[in-house]
Amino acid sequence: RFENMFCFQAYLVRTARDNPGLVRLLHIGNSHEGRPLLGVLIGKPHKTQKRKPMVWLDGGNHAREWPAFHVAVYFIEQLVNKYDTDATIKRYLDDLDFLVFPVLNPDGFVYSRSDYRATIRHWRKNRAPENCTGTTASRKDLCCEGVDLNRNYDFGFKQTNYPFNNPCSDEFQGPEPFSEPESRAVRDFILSPQINGRLHAVISLHTHGQLFILPYNNRKRTYPEDFYQLKELAERAADAMSGLRDIKYKVKYVYVIELPPDMKTWFAFQVKPHWIIPIGKETWLGVKVIIDQVLREFVDE
């Protein structure tokens, strides 16, 4: 297991260094506290310099969701270490490029590991400075830190909805869209000439609940035009994931995958170390279904 943020950073640097023909280190920005936002681009350079379709995988938006970080690393291991021995992986990396960011909230992750107290271990947000407009049922003008990075994007952003407008809430969206350096870095990278127009699958790993969450999840009975295609593919991926341990994923309204255990468990942001690899294996089976669909639609067309 990775015991601290430095281990994640060192792993990414080492993986890029040891696999120069397959992996490139990405540094897309820095966090509030100055930590680098690191990821890797994995793919075999195309002989004709063709701009290949891309798949995005991340696992680190919410600080307390440690299993998601480790499963993202498991995906890196599958892609990098099996290129020479697995024909399927070779096809993936010859025809696609993968962007993998295991920890997009490094400050929150470090903070969540700094103490055993529940208020710290269960920390979800980044480490944005204090905002003193917080409220409770009986108090006003409370000072609280952090922003929920998932809700800091310019979609469904409303200043009037509690708890999204309350800095003392785990779900505080921030004072304005892209107020946080972490979300700005992701936005700017995705819209950069290097990436823009090439992303055909985006998968964000979270815990917990065993759910596939589809757009749009900000309002009831609001669906994208391709909802049925998204739903059908998610159901096929969920079926593939159930094969190893009979784990059943529910499909709910790009893909966010809420990893095991299911919602009957009171607190599951920590899992026993021996469950990390089985969760990685079964989740990878589902992710491969999504990758295969990208190949069919954007490479074999």
Side-chain angles (χ1 to χ4, degrees):
R1 292 189 300 160
F2 292 88
E3 296 299 336
N4 55 53
M5 188 61 217
F6 177 77
C7 290
F8 276 106
Q9 294 174 359
Y11 168 78
L12 295 173
V13 170
R14 184 176 66 250
T15 300
R17 181 197 64 206
D18 293 346
N19 301 275
L22 206 60
V23 183
R24 181 156 62 89
L25 185 69
L26 299 171
H27 178 191
I28 64 171
N30 294 294
S31 67
H32 263 294
E33 296 177 350
R35 294 183 175 89
L37 303 174
L38 297 182
V40 286
L41 188 157
I42 308 173
K44 198 73 171 176
H46 199 275
K47 295 177 182 178
T48 64
Q49 303 301 310
K50 177 183 176 182
R51 285 166 55 87
K52 297 191 293 181
M54 285 181 157
V55 174
W56 173 289
L57 302 161
D58 73 63
N61 285 278
H62 290 147
R64 64 194 179 193
E65 298 175 6
W66 299 350
F69 305 176
H70 292 83
V71 170
V73 169
Y74 181 85
F75 293 168
I76 294 173
E77 289 286 292
Q78 296 303 299
L79 292 168
V80 173
N81 293 335
K82 294 186 177 181
Y83 179 79
D84 293 324
T85 59
D86 187 313
T88 297
I89 299 297
K90 187 178 188 305
R91 170 88 198 281
Y92 288 170
L93 298 187
D94 285 346
D95 291 337
L96 302 171
D97 283 334
F98 292 82
L99 302 165
V100 190
F101 292 88
V103 188
L104 286 173
N105 181 6
D107 297 349
F109 173 64
V110 170
Y111 184 68
S112 74
R113 297 193 60 85
S114 66
D115 200 292
Y116 286 106
R117 286 177 292 171
T119 53
I120 295 176
R121 170 58 193 92
H122 297 188
W123 189 259
R124 168 184 169 102
K125 300 183 285 184
N126 74 348
R127 295 296 295 162
E130 283 186 336
N131 180 318
C132 294
T133 62
T135 62
T136 65
S138 59
R139 297 180 62 187
K140 294 183 178 180
D141 301 325
L142 295 175
C143 296
C144 295
E145 300 168 312
V147 166
D148 182 350
L149 294 175
N150 253 22
R151 288 174 170 77
N152 191 237
Y153 292 85
D154 192 11
F155 182 84
F157 196 99
K158 289 187 177 180
Q159 294 286 354
T160 55
N161 283 7
Y162 183 90
F164 303 149
N165 63 354
N166 183 1
C168 294
S169 164
D170 269 354
E171 298 179 304
F172 178 49
Q173 63 186 351
E176 60 187 26
F178 300 112
S179 61
E180 308 310 298
E182 297 91 346
S183 57
R184 288 197 303 272
V186 172
R187 175 199 64 189
D188 294 346
F189 179 64
I190 287 177
L191 294 179
S192 69
Q194 175 189 4
I195 307 301
N196 194 15
R198 297 175 62 192
L199 272 179
H200 295 293
V202 176
I203 301 167
S204 186
L205 300 173
H206 292 254
T207 58
H208 62 104
Q210 291 172 201
L211 300 169
F212 266 77
I213 301 178
L214 282 62
Y216 298 113
N217 209 26
N218 65 309
R219 192 169 57 191
K220 292 182 179 179
R221 291 179 291 279
T222 303
Y223 309 102
E225 293 181 359
D226 58 352
F227 170 77
Y228 290 104
Q229 289 175 283
L230 286 165
K231 183 173 183 290
E232 188 272 336
L233 181 56
E235 288 173 338
R236 284 197 281 122
D239 287 344
M241 293 160 73
S242 70
L244 285 183
R245 294 190 297 137
D246 197 30
I247 293 291
K248 302 298 183 184
Y249 274 74
K250 299 177 182 178
V251 176
K252 189 184 178 182
Y253 310 136
V254 66
Y255 293 118
V256 169
I257 301 178
E258 297 280 2
L259 299 172
D262 60 26
M263 294 300 288
K264 296 191 293 291
T265 304
W266 175 74
F267 181 75
F269 300 117
Q270 287 175 302
V271 298
K272 298 294 185 183
H274 65 270
W275 285 118
I276 294 294
I277 297 301
I279 291 172
K281 285 181 177 179
E282 68 200 13
T283 308
W284 180 238
L285 292 175
V287 168
K288 287 172 69 177
V289 172
I290 298 170
I291 297 170
D292 290 341
Q293 185 67 29
V294 173
L295 283 171
R296 281 192 292 271
E297 287 193 38
F298 301 103
V299 175
D300 297 334
E301 60 183 356

